[in-house]
Amino acid sequence: MWLDYLHAKLLKQRAQVRVYSRYYDGDHQKLAFAQARHVSEFGHVFEKWRDNFCGLIVDSVNERIAVDGFRMTDEPDADKDARDIWQRNFMDAESNAGHLDAMVQGSAYAVVWADQDGQPTITMESAEHIVVQYKPGSRREIEAAAKFYIDDWGRDWATLWFANRVYTFAAGTFGWNDATATRSERNPLGEVPVIPLNNRSRLTTSPVSDLATVIPLQDAVNKIVSDALLASEFAAWPQRYVTGLEIVEDQDGNPVEPFKVAVDKLLQAEDPNVTFGQFEAADLGNYVKLADMLVQHMASTSRIPFHYFLNGGVVPSGESITAAEAGLIAKTRERMLHFGEAWERVMRLCFKVLKDKRAEAWSAEVIWRDPENRTEAQHMDALLKLKMIGVPTDQLLSDAGYTPQQIARFKSMREDDAKTAMELAKKYPAPQPPQQDGAALDAQRAANKPPQGNSGNAARKAVNPVKG
């Protein structure tokens, strides 16, 4: 029963997420707003043509999201064990793929388990293969999860997770109705080890793809640009006409073209009543204006700066580019908020595999890389000002973009520098000033003594005034 239900739910989910994937890849529907006759006549012309902004909209955010480490306790330094788990599972690259799929499809999934040595493993999975079912009335506790996949031999398999058991099924002759459990094992974690990475979760609906509101605008851009290309083919070249000329036909009754029009050809006729002329060429600027308007709407909807679309004008710099990218940075930080909750759950589950007390580290936090791109001079100037108000050096280094591993190496390097400086000071002591005898020292002290002034004489005159 569980397999049939979850497989049907996955098929519905897969149909939707594949639409988003095609738009991200640029393999989306062409001429969506065109009439059927227009598509039948010219659809083949645009079979391999692409004008896709969907990839830009997702990549602009994804390229700014990167996990640098984790703090599992109240200690200010990054957790070394958490970083080891992260690196052992190649998560620098895998997490990037997970963020990308989550923003494109709405969700991605991380599966935590243990290898033969008892070490935690993290596997990233697509929403095309995994489906979850939450407990009634809960948006966080997962009752069951399943992964459906096809092996290299073309056989259908499914893995079904519950809080207490894990089953592996092979599809039967009639699909999942007669599937056979080939393996069953106890789930030592006591919970379903599948963690969803939801993109901007909603309270009452499923997670939303970043492309959901962009796709209609993308279809409209494709239609307008295709119309412009057709106009450039059939109407942008001035069409010439001639009147008063006798039509000559071939032996089959078909009209014969009287002139071969070219740059170096001259059109002439003996009949004085013959006139030549040309139709006005189509103005393609109207198509450009409409496409620009749609791209501006797309930029506003997706919160991507206008200059990312190269929509005319001057590319901003300095403070202007900071203001222009404010919406993009806010959108990126919001994605980091939602993804961070999932990664904290993943890391707590990894420590649960190790039976470590950090499995209950509810104060854990993700160390994200700074999503803002600033000039080096501006960034360093801001950090120096923060140092003047007492911000610790390690925090400044983190804000400068250095990873926790680099900051730890900096500490060791500073210690090595201090030791080297001490050894050089012992080996090459600074020269001492020459010794002076007692009389010379007294003379030097007297010379350095500040003048007393005549304040004492003035005081004595005040007490014993001189009578005239």
Side-chain angles (χ1 to χ4, degrees):
M1 182 184 75
W2 272 106
L3 277 181
D4 289 338
Y5 170 73
L6 291 176
H7 187 251
K9 186 176 180 179
L10 177 67
L11 292 179
K12 181 180 179 181
Q13 173 180 294
R14 182 182 291 170
Q16 183 61 58
V17 300
R18 283 184 174 176
V19 172
Y20 296 135
S21 295
R22 286 197 296 270
Y23 270 86
Y24 173 79
D25 295 331
D27 186 22
H28 45 73
Q29 182 182 6
K30 275 75 71 176
L31 308 179
F33 298 105
Q35 298 180 0
R37 182 177 178 183
H38 180 83
V39 175
S40 63
E41 290 291 333
F42 303 109
H44 66 283
V45 177
F46 303 100
E47 182 178 359
K48 296 182 179 180
W49 174 74
R50 301 287 186 271
D51 186 22
N52 185 36
F53 292 102
C54 295
L56 167 67
I57 290 172
V58 174
D59 292 341
S60 299
V61 178
N62 190 49
E63 67 187 10
R64 295 171 179 266
I65 299 179
V67 176
D68 276 342
F70 295 85
R71 292 189 184 94
M72 303 302 298
T73 61
D74 295 334
E75 295 294 328
D77 295 333
D79 192 293
K80 185 178 181 300
D81 294 333
R83 187 65 189 179
D84 289 343
I85 294 172
W86 189 262
Q87 293 293 336
R88 191 184 306 116
N89 287 279
F90 311 101
M91 290 305 296
D92 283 339
E94 290 291 298
S95 64
N96 180 271
H99 297 154
L100 178 61
D101 264 22
M103 285 186 283
V104 172
Q105 300 179 341
S107 295
Y109 298 90
V111 180
V112 177
W113 202 241
D115 61 13
Q116 297 179 351
D117 299 327
Q119 295 297 318
T121 61
I122 307 172
T123 307
M124 298 306 302
E125 299 289 349
S126 169
E128 295 187 23
H129 299 146
I130 282 193
V131 61
V132 299
Q133 178 63 37
Y134 291 93
K135 293 182 179 180
S138 175
R139 294 186 296 108
R140 294 188 181 92
E141 296 185 48
I142 298 177
E143 184 176 9
K147 175 184 177 182
F148 297 88
Y149 59 98
I150 301 175
D151 65 12
D152 295 338
W153 298 96
R155 298 174 297 185
D156 288 304
W157 295 87
T159 301
L160 182 61
W161 291 278
F162 293 103
N164 56 349
R165 303 292 298 179
V166 180
Y167 300 92
T168 301
F169 290 90
T173 304
F174 301 99
W176 301 110
N177 292 322
D178 59 341
T180 304
T182 61
R183 187 174 63 188
S184 173
E185 57 183 314
R186 185 179 66 88
N187 183 356
L189 299 177
E191 60 180 292
V192 177
V194 178
I195 296 92
L197 272 75
N198 292 330
N199 181 59
R200 198 180 184 186
S201 303
R202 301 285 300 277
L203 294 177
T204 57
T205 59
S206 301
V208 182
S209 167
D210 279 354
L211 303 180
T213 57
V214 175
I215 285 177
L217 293 169
Q218 179 65 66
D219 288 338
V221 170
N222 290 339
K223 172 63 167 59
I224 296 303
V225 177
S226 65
D227 287 347
L229 293 175
L230 287 175
S232 68
E233 177 70 18
F234 295 102
W237 178 265
Q239 299 295 314
R240 296 180 175 86
Y241 64 86
V242 58
T243 61
L245 184 68
E246 181 181 357
I247 298 176
V248 180
E249 298 179 349
D250 60 13
Q251 59 184 4
D252 297 326
N254 298 319
V256 177
E257 184 177 0
F259 303 104
K260 297 295 183 181
V261 180
V263 176
D264 57 347
K265 298 296 183 180
L266 177 65
L267 305 183
Q268 60 180 358
E270 297 180 356
D271 191 340
N273 295 322
V274 174
T275 59
F276 296 93
Q278 70 176 22
F279 296 106
E280 184 179 356
D283 183 10
L284 301 182
N286 295 325
Y287 296 101
V288 175
K289 292 178 182 178
L290 183 54
D292 285 346
M293 182 197 72
L294 292 172
V295 171
Q296 289 178 5
H297 289 184
M298 190 181 298
S300 300
T301 301
S302 61
R303 303 183 74 184
I304 303 299
F306 290 115
H307 62 272
Y308 276 43
F309 295 89
L310 298 178
N311 191 27
V314 179
V315 178
S317 61
E319 295 295 332
S320 299
I321 197 169
T322 301
E325 294 183 351
L328 174 61
I329 298 302
K331 178 180 178 180
T332 303
R333 293 190 185 279
E334 183 183 35
R335 299 300 182 269
M336 291 162 62
L337 174 67
H338 291 282
F339 294 154
E341 293 291 339
W343 290 128
E344 291 165 14
R345 290 183 59 190
V346 167
M347 200 51 61
R348 283 195 295 266
L349 201 55
C350 287
F351 281 110
K352 195 171 187 178
V353 171
L354 297 173
K355 299 179 180 178
D356 189 288
K357 63 180 182 180
R358 283 168 286 187
E360 302 295 329
W362 301 107
S363 61
E365 63 176 354
V366 181
I367 303 174
W368 294 99
R369 191 170 301 166
D370 187 359
E372 295 190 56
N373 293 330
R374 291 167 285 192
T375 64
E376 194 70 13
Q378 289 178 323
H379 201 184
M380 292 302 105
D381 182 63
L383 294 177
L384 289 174
K385 291 178 180 178
L386 291 175
K387 184 176 181 63
M388 294 173 63
I389 64 173
V391 177
T393 301
D394 286 354
Q395 181 61 48
L396 295 175
L397 290 172
S398 177
D399 293 341
Y402 294 103
T403 65
Q405 293 73 31
Q406 290 174 313
I407 295 173
R409 287 197 295 270
F410 288 164
K411 291 181 179 179
S412 177
M413 291 177 183
R414 285 197 295 268
E415 292 179 0
D416 292 341
D417 290 342
K419 291 178 181 178
T420 302
M422 292 176 62
E423 292 174 357
L424 290 175
K426 292 179 180 179
K427 188 173 182 180
Y428 304 104
Q432 298 295 328
Q435 296 293 331
Q436 298 179 351
D437 56 14
L441 289 175
D442 292 339
Q444 184 176 0
R445 292 194 190 100
N448 294 333
K449 186 177 180 180
Q452 297 295 324
N454 58 357
S455 59
N457 295 333
R460 284 191 293 272
K461 288 182 180 181
V463 176
N464 299 313
V466 180
K467 295 181 180 181

